Amino acid sequence: MAENGGKNTKVIVIGGGPAGLMAAIQTACRGREVRLLEKEPEPARKLLLTGEGRCNLTSTLRPVEVIEKVFTGASFLYSALYQFTPEDTRRFFEDRGLRLKEERGRRLYPASDRAEDVKKVLLEEAVRQGVEILTGVEVKEIITSGQEVREVKISGGRAFPARAAVLATGGKSYPGTGSDGSGYRLASRLGHNLVEPELALVPLKVKENWTKEAAGLKLKNVELRLFYQENKIFSSYGEFIVEENKITGAEALRLSCHITGPDYHNYRIAVDLKPALTGEKLKRRLQRDFDRYSNKHFKTALGDLLPAYLRPVVVRLSGISPDRICHQITAGERESLVRLLKGIELNVTGKGSENEAIITAGGIAAADINPGTMESRIVRGLYCTGEVLEPAAYTGGHNLQIAFSTGYLAGSQIN
Ligand SMILES: Cc1cc2nc3c(=O)[nH]c(=O)nc-3n(C[C@H](O)[C@H](O)[C@H](O)COP(=O)(O)OP(=O)(O)OC[C@H]3O[C@@H](n4cnc5c(N)ncnc54)[C@H](O)[C@@H]3O)c2cc1C
């Protein structure tokens, strides 16, 4: 075995996703020899799925604004995001010939709308910098001595000597792409603490059976309030989609970031269909509508207040017969209708599967990693980057930016 840190010993990058590729490129361009080990037949398979195949690779936000989009482990990322900013990501790709375009929410995509082109730039640059890429090679163990990285052992028992190693194995969502959570095991075996990895940006399962009939319904301009037991813990405004005993779409995915199992039954969502109106205003508004349509059916009277697609759901949940004549509706029924419009209840029963989760939040505890270098505080010469780490962000290109920033920082620090 070559002596650790010896001249001929390479830096080993474990995992060929965006974090691993960026770390490999940055290490190699500083003159170090790099070998990247990827367990799948090709690197960066997940990258091809990103942004529905278009890859929202970063944003035009400033680092401090990206930090606001990180819902767990945000403070850990300051150094990385300031050393390799969204602007640096933009320049990295544009300098290598990839034209980018900005879309709603200050999201950046390749002008070609092809995630494949993002992957191509990373792979071509890695090859140009002399990174040796081995595919179909699964890392089984990182071997240390004296709390320092020595070797990286792969399936079949072979071991590669390593002057340093970068763990860039991603999370555990979409395991078919290769990110199956093996990095958590590799790190915890070396004594790292794990913040329980949780699927996030994932659809939520809900108890209410009315969702079955309403499946396919998209609710727009609503406020979703998330309660844990009786405490409101998060709220968001926007749209979500109803499916059978499930909700998905932008705001449902955001809410999922604030739900941790296994006690899902303690989480409840209240959907405010009229967030712009206070309960009092809504009550007066309903009274006006019911006066105007006093001899008409209840379902008709809701016509001014709610879009057509929502009316059947509200009528059903109100328990008031759609054909009741408006002037027969009691004050008590009006009160409960207001309560319903201000908070349709959805009880959480779980999360969608790992094949539906965009990311995994949690992972290697930020406290075990030096945020200025990405080096482990437990094993010298081991650097951890990307989604395998604890921090995680909402959608908007931020998770890829985190992968690039942490990968770049590690690559800049390896000796
Ligand atoms: C459907 C979908 C859409 C998404 N869209 C976006 C988006 O538009 N914008 C955005 O910012 N983020 C998006 N994300 C999230 C983003 O893809 C991830 O956060 C990002 O890929 C993480 O990069 P990574 O390099 O840390 O890990 P990964 O991309 O997961 O790469 C890890 C690599 O390590 C390899 N590996 C794992 N274990 C081993 C092992 N033991 N030995 C060797 N190799 C191993 C895996 O095969 C994989 O290639 C999306 C995710 C999904 C699933």
Side-chain angles (χ1 to χ4, degrees):
M1 178 190 121
E3 200 184 304
N4 179 258
K7 256 201 196 139
N8 300 322
T9 315
K10 295 189 176 184
V11 173
I12 307 269
V13 176
I14 308 167
L21 284 166
M22 186 57 89
I25 291 166
Q26 182 57 15
T27 310
C29 80
R30 291 173 53 247
R32 311 292 183 272
E33 282 196 88
V34 182
R35 176 177 284 144
L36 184 147
L37 308 178
E38 166 55 53
K39 84 196 232 305
E40 293 299 308
E42 49 163 346
R45 292 180 76 172
K46 186 176 278 182
L47 192 59
L48 297 180
L49 305 180
T50 58
E52 296 180 359
R54 300 198 302 126
C55 186
N56 172 203
L57 73 166
T58 184
S59 65
T60 57
L61 299 182
R62 288 176 294 131
V64 68
E65 294 172 307
V66 176
I67 295 215
E68 286 166 17
K69 309 291 181 190
V70 179
F71 60 86
T72 179
S75 59
F76 174 79
L77 293 172
Y78 270 94
S79 253
L81 283 168
Y82 273 95
Q83 295 209 37
F84 196 76
T85 66
E87 180 56 31
D88 292 326
T89 300
R90 175 184 207 141
R91 221 173 295 128
F92 177 89
F93 284 97
E94 286 183 343
D95 286 351
R96 287 160 185 80
L98 186 70
R99 276 197 317 115
L100 303 182
K101 62 174 174 181
E102 186 174 344
E103 292 192 5
R104 192 176 53 87
R106 299 175 63 185
R107 296 165 189 241
L108 283 179
Y109 292 84
S112 62
D113 282 331
R114 285 163 42 97
E116 178 71 43
D117 294 343
V118 177
K119 174 176 165 172
K120 199 163 157 251
V121 169
L122 287 168
L123 281 181
E124 283 179 358
E125 185 61 19
V127 170
R128 204 170 70 85
Q129 295 297 342
V131 176
E132 180 193 12
I133 299 178
L134 302 183
T135 56
V137 175
E138 181 175 1
V139 171
K140 291 291 193 185
E141 199 180 347
I142 299 165
I143 299 181
T144 60
S145 102
Q147 293 304 89
E148 195 168 342
V149 171
R150 295 285 165 182
E151 287 180 310
V152 170
K153 208 175 196 174
I154 63 168
S155 45
R158 186 172 169 202
F160 292 107
R163 62 187 285 163
V166 179
L167 189 60
T169 44
K172 60 170 186 172
S173 81
Y174 280 74
T177 63
S179 324
D180 60 1
S182 67
Y184 303 135
R185 291 189 291 280
L186 293 171
S188 69
R189 240 183 269 144
L190 293 173
H192 297 85
N193 293 295
L194 292 186
V195 171
E196 187 55 30
E198 270 280 343
L199 298 180
L201 296 175
V202 60
L204 291 170
K205 294 184 190 164
V206 294
K207 192 166 84 187
E208 283 66 24
N209 285 330
W210 63 263
T211 53
K212 196 171 175 175
E213 287 149 49
L217 195 68
K218 190 188 239 183
L219 277 75
K220 296 181 200 152
N221 307 320
V222 296
E223 185 178 302
L224 291 159
R225 291 189 290 272
L226 178 65
F227 293 84
Y228 180 73
Q229 294 172 339
E230 284 320 303
N231 304 315
K232 186 171 111 179
I233 55 168
F234 185 69
S235 68
S236 68
Y237 176 86
E239 61 186 45
F240 75 99
I241 299 163
V242 178
E243 288 178 7
E244 184 175 342
N245 292 111
K246 205 183 201 181
I247 58 167
T248 184
E251 298 315 314
L253 298 191
R254 256 161 89 85
L255 251 58
S256 74
C257 300
H258 299 273
I259 295 177
T260 49
D263 62 337
Y264 294 115
H265 62 276
N266 280 317
Y267 291 92
R268 175 175 63 83
I269 299 163
V271 183
D272 187 343
L273 297 179
K274 288 282 156 195
L277 298 177
T278 62
E280 224 13 76
K281 276 194 176 145
L282 182 58
K283 199 167 140 189
R284 287 201 294 275
R285 169 71 202 269
L286 264 182
Q287 182 61 64
R288 269 205 318 274
D289 288 0
F290 284 2
D291 287 347
R292 183 177 311 143
Y293 299 107
S294 73
N295 290 318
K296 297 262 196 275
H297 292 142
F298 168 51
K299 62 180 182 211
T300 316
L302 290 178
D304 293 352
L305 187 68
L306 296 174
Y309 70 90
L310 264 185
R311 271 174 251 154
V313 176
V314 171
V315 168
R316 184 183 187 287
L317 294 177
S318 73
I320 304 171
S321 160
D323 298 324
R324 275 275 286 289
I325 303 299
C326 274
H327 69 252
Q328 294 172 341
I329 293 172
T330 65
E333 283 171 327
R334 269 202 317 273
E335 289 278 346
S336 33
L337 186 57
V338 170
R339 276 199 298 279
L340 176 69
L341 292 166
K342 293 297 289 174
I344 293 183
E345 193 161 289
L346 289 167
N347 287 282
V348 178
T349 57
K351 287 182 176 177
S353 76
E354 54 200 18
N355 292 316
E356 298 170 284
I358 291 179
I359 54 162
T360 316
I364 301 172
D368 287 349
I369 308 296
N370 179 341
T373 60
M374 295 295 131
E375 190 176 15
S376 161
R377 294 189 199 273
I378 293 169
V379 174
R380 251 176 305 144
L382 177 67
Y383 295 77
C384 300
T385 63
E387 204 177 306
V388 74
L389 288 165
E390 179 187 343
Y394 299 123
T395 55
H398 316 307
N399 287 300
L400 282 172
Q401 179 60 47
I402 292 170
F404 294 137
S405 293
T406 54
Y408 176 92
L409 181 53
S412 312
Q413 297 293 323
I414 294 170
N415 275 317

